[in-house]
Amino acid sequence: MVDPTSDLEGDVDEESAPRCVSCGGPALGVGRRTVTWVDGGDVTHRHFCSQPCRDEWTDERPSAEN
């Protein structure tokens, strides 16, 4: 598993990169977005390959206003 808080640059290939939860593509490069939250002592991450994919995501965080 790639550390989601690290810089994902040239040393990470598409196969080992986190997957975008919206489209399933690799979440790499400058357009990458990550949403992180803590719920009940557990840290959860959602990775996105771009801002448009991030915008499509239905926010599942407990504090999200739906």
Side-chain angles (χ1 to χ4, degrees):
M1 167 82 186
V2 173
D3 176 0
T5 62
S6 69
D7 291 330
L8 296 178
E9 299 298 333
D11 61 336
V12 176
D13 60 21
E14 288 188 15
E15 224 174 271
S16 61
R19 307 320 284 178
C20 175
V21 298
S22 292
C23 73
L28 287 171
V30 296
R32 174 179 68 99
R33 301 288 182 262
T34 303
V35 176
T36 305
W37 70 95
V38 177
D39 182 23
D42 295 322
V43 177
T44 303
H45 307 280
R46 295 294 179 261
H47 301 277
F48 307 92
C49 63
S50 64
Q51 187 62 45
C53 278
R54 164 64 178 91
D55 293 341
E56 289 178 12
W57 178 56
T58 302
D59 200 331
E60 64 194 81
R61 295 175 289 178
S63 61
E65 295 178 320
N66 294 322

